[in-house]
Amino acid sequence: MADSKREVERKYEATPETRLPDLTRAAGVSAVVHRGLSELDAVYYDTEDFRLAADSLTLRRRTGGDDAGWHLKIPVSADVRDEIRAPLTEALPDALGGLLRSRVRHTPVTPVVRILSARDVHHLLDEDGALLAEVSIDEVLAERLTERGHGTTAAWTEMEVELAEDGDPALLDAVERRLRKAGVRPSAAPSKLARALAETAPGKRRRTRKERSPRTAGDHVLAYVRRQAAALVELDPAVRRDLPDSVHRMRVATRRLRSALRTYRALLDRTATDPLRDELKWLAAELGVVRDREVLEERLRARVAELPASLVLGPVAARLTLTSVARRTGSRRRVESVLDAERYLALLDSLDALLADPPLLPAAARAPRDALPRAVLKDYGRLAARVEHALEQRPGEERDLAMHEARKAAKRVRYAAEAARPALGGPARRFARRMKSVQSVLGDRQDSVLARDALRTLAVQAHGAGESAFTWGLLYGTEEAAAAARERELPEVWARASRPCLRAALKG
């Protein structure tokens, strides 16, 4: 079992002689209470090639203090990290091991650094005695545990200011102003581990090689693929933790990857990318089962909330909740099994291999303004044909299918333009925005089709249980009207999105 805590803190340089200035002069602080000294002993773990450190993750097993146990810290933004805690055991708990899987795959994590800290703690309180923040001055001793550099040590003193749970981040600014006036400066190191690794590194420190800016069309496509592959790895722990919107974002990254490999296949050898596209299609479909259910549930609840109470007959909310819980439990199990599958890990390995040795074709060496618009406009041509075909269909199943195919094509063109945006600038951004408007109209219509299928099933279940099916039928009619409205909107949206001037601007 693991618990999660949002940690908001700032680190500062200090010396053994550093003393706290009068922090009651910081806005909101009424008292500073000394909480005493504690001894902390933490062993930090990583792979042999420091994959966790490369992504600013820290994994430690700590004894001492009031939070002994395993801690995994995942960066959220500047000064903010999520700390996931598990009980103190000898082996790494499975709950944390799963959160690391997308990064370490089958590579074991082993001890890399041991850090001993003598911590002097002070609490900042408001006028009611409530905790605002914790300030600690740490005397730190770090020892390298890896084979190379084993036994090398480093020592320093640092100060941490950690905001209390649900605290106001403005307090950190107020405290920092008082610290700066006292001569205390922010730390250059983002974490104890980062500083320990840097100061105990064996031999001369290597200069970080600056990545070359994309120049060719192939460079730009690979940069986009690299960003989306990194997003997959980064979002994996968030999906496992069931964080809001995480499945959606991971599914989008998967689709963007697959779309890029298809759109720009004139630049990348298909013998290498087609198998990857198949695996990305599989992953997107698996994630889609979860995401589509999330969207459907949100839509149906919103529709029910819009109705006057007099038109909600029977246990409508209860039936929705019952259906939602059952679906959600099954969805969570399904996505967890997918992320633990060897097939998924093999996909991540294949993406790494593709980026390490890109299968570039001769066309990849062309200038971006030559090769990229050509690929985007080719996808646009496919979209135009599908929109025209969809608008010609009579209402019914064939029209629904044609609209759905047009929606997928619009999404592919949008992603293609987004991939080209760093090279083509404003024209690609505007083109992508127009394609998104088409995708939105078609997407909302498709959501209505799925909602009607679900409402039909709910009506049958309600009738079978002796409940009124009136409300489900009413909502079915509402969805039919919504779909019809979106269909009427489509020709005008498409006309704006398909203006010749936009396509000409994309060509440059």
Side-chain angles (χ1 to χ4, degrees):
M1 194 68 181
D3 298 317
S4 181
K5 173 191 173 187
R6 178 63 52 94
E7 181 183 80
V8 184
E9 71 173 19
R10 294 181 185 176
K11 291 182 178 291
Y12 300 88
E13 300 288 351
T15 69
E17 290 73 37
T18 298
R19 297 292 179 267
L20 283 184
D22 182 6
L23 294 180
T24 59
R25 299 182 66 184
V29 179
S30 294
V32 179
V33 179
H34 187 217
R35 303 298 295 176
L37 300 169
S38 60
E39 300 286 336
L40 307 175
D41 185 347
V43 175
Y44 288 76
Y45 289 71
D46 206 333
T47 59
E48 186 179 4
D49 54 356
F50 297 102
R51 297 180 194 176
L52 303 185
D55 285 345
S56 300
L57 273 69
T58 59
L59 173 66
R60 72 187 178 200
R61 182 181 184 274
R62 174 190 270 178
T63 57
D66 58 3
D67 63 347
W70 287 89
H71 304 160
L72 172 62
K73 296 191 179 187
I74 301 176
V76 176
S77 60
D79 302 332
V80 182
R81 293 185 292 181
D82 278 345
E83 181 176 276
I84 300 97
R85 299 177 177 179
L88 187 64
T89 55
E90 287 300 319
L92 175 65
D94 290 341
L96 298 190
L99 298 179
L100 298 173
R101 192 159 292 126
S102 66
R103 287 175 167 89
V104 305
R105 319 284 164 81
H106 296 295
T107 305
V109 292
T110 57
V112 294
V113 167
R114 183 184 184 189
I115 296 180
L116 304 175
S117 302
R119 172 163 290 181
D120 189 11
V121 178
H122 295 76
H123 282 180
L124 307 186
L125 309 178
D126 66 13
E127 59 184 6
D128 297 322
L131 179 65
L132 296 172
E134 180 177 284
V135 182
S136 62
I137 300 177
D138 294 350
E139 297 284 348
V140 182
L141 175 64
E143 179 186 5
R144 190 95 171 190
L145 302 179
T146 58
E147 184 176 344
R148 294 185 68 242
H150 184 83
T152 306
T153 61
W156 67 90
T157 304
E158 68 178 34
M159 182 186 298
E160 293 181 0
V161 182
E162 181 176 346
L163 198 64
E165 189 173 358
D166 298 324
D168 184 356
L171 176 72
L172 294 180
D173 294 331
V175 170
E176 181 164 309
R177 284 193 289 271
R178 303 310 309 170
L179 293 176
R180 283 181 176 272
K181 284 188 176 182
V184 178
R185 294 291 178 261
S187 173
S191 67
K192 284 184 174 67
L193 176 62
R195 183 165 183 171
L197 290 174
E199 296 194 10
T200 64
K204 292 184 178 179
R205 212 179 295 175
R206 292 182 180 179
R207 285 188 176 183
T208 303
R209 189 175 180 181
K210 189 175 181 180
E211 193 170 324
R212 191 189 74 174
S213 297
R215 297 176 183 174
T216 66
D219 288 343
H220 281 279
V221 172
L222 289 175
Y224 182 79
V225 170
R226 188 172 291 107
R227 287 195 298 273
Q228 303 312 318
L232 275 188
V233 171
E234 180 182 335
L235 287 165
D236 178 293
V239 171
R240 292 176 188 270
R241 295 169 60 202
D242 199 18
L243 296 186
D245 208 35
S246 57
V247 172
H248 170 60
R249 291 167 62 204
M250 190 175 193
R251 185 191 189 191
V252 168
T254 305
R255 284 177 159 176
R256 281 175 169 155
L257 272 170
R258 184 167 180 261
S259 178
L261 296 180
R262 174 171 179 164
T263 297
Y264 297 106
R265 53 192 171 185
L267 311 183
L268 297 167
D269 189 347
R270 291 186 60 178
T271 60
T273 60
D274 279 0
L276 258 178
R277 284 178 50 216
D278 291 341
E279 292 305 284
L280 288 165
K281 181 179 181 180
W282 161 76
L283 179 59
E286 293 291 346
L287 294 171
V289 171
V290 180
R291 177 57 185 167
D292 289 345
R293 287 173 179 172
E294 290 177 347
V295 172
L296 177 62
E297 289 166 14
E298 291 172 6
R299 188 180 185 96
L300 294 184
R301 288 188 183 280
R303 291 295 193 210
V304 171
E306 292 168 357
L307 291 176
S310 60
L311 298 181
V312 181
L313 305 184
V316 172
R319 180 161 293 282
L320 268 181
T321 299
L322 181 66
T323 304
S324 173
V325 169
R327 284 175 173 168
R328 187 165 184 78
T329 300
S331 296
R332 290 304 310 159
R333 289 174 181 164
R334 180 167 184 161
V335 77
E336 286 170 4
S337 67
V338 167
L339 298 186
D340 285 335
E342 287 298 321
R343 184 176 182 178
Y344 166 68
L345 297 181
L347 168 59
L348 297 183
D349 286 339
S350 297
L351 285 169
D352 286 349
L354 177 87
L355 291 167
D357 186 17
L360 295 172
L361 296 173
R366 293 177 184 166
R369 291 191 173 275
D370 175 26
L372 300 187
R374 185 178 303 176
V376 175
L377 292 174
K378 185 175 181 180
D379 274 355
Y380 166 81
R382 185 181 296 108
L383 167 62
R386 290 188 180 183
V387 170
E388 183 179 347
H389 174 69
L391 291 172
E392 290 172 350
Q393 302 305 305
R394 296 179 62 83
E397 187 175 341
E398 288 299 320
R399 188 180 182 96
D400 289 344
L401 180 60
M403 290 281 184
H404 181 47
E405 290 300 315
R407 180 185 72 90
K408 291 192 293 184
K411 187 177 298 185
R412 188 156 52 245
V413 180
R414 172 195 164 193
Y415 291 159
E418 288 176 347
R421 188 170 61 188
L424 305 182
R429 182 177 66 252
R430 290 188 290 275
F431 194 77
R433 188 167 61 242
R434 294 295 189 185
M435 294 303 109
K436 184 178 179 180
S437 67
V438 176
Q439 176 195 331
S440 295
V441 170
L442 291 168
D444 191 60
R445 187 193 179 283
Q446 177 63 16
D447 288 344
S448 178
V449 171
L450 297 177
R452 277 179 276 159
D453 287 342
L455 287 166
R456 187 184 298 108
T457 300
L458 287 165
V460 170
Q461 292 172 345
H463 179 74
E467 302 163 8
S468 172
F470 171 82
T471 301
W472 305 117
L474 183 62
L475 292 176
Y476 189 98
T478 300
E479 288 294 352
E480 276 190 320
R486 294 309 251 171
E487 285 186 26
R488 289 192 297 272
E489 187 181 351
L490 178 60
E492 183 180 346
V493 172
W494 174 244
R496 290 198 304 267
S498 58
R499 288 174 182 168
C501 60
L502 282 172
R503 302 197 299 277
L506 189 66
K507 291 179 182 178

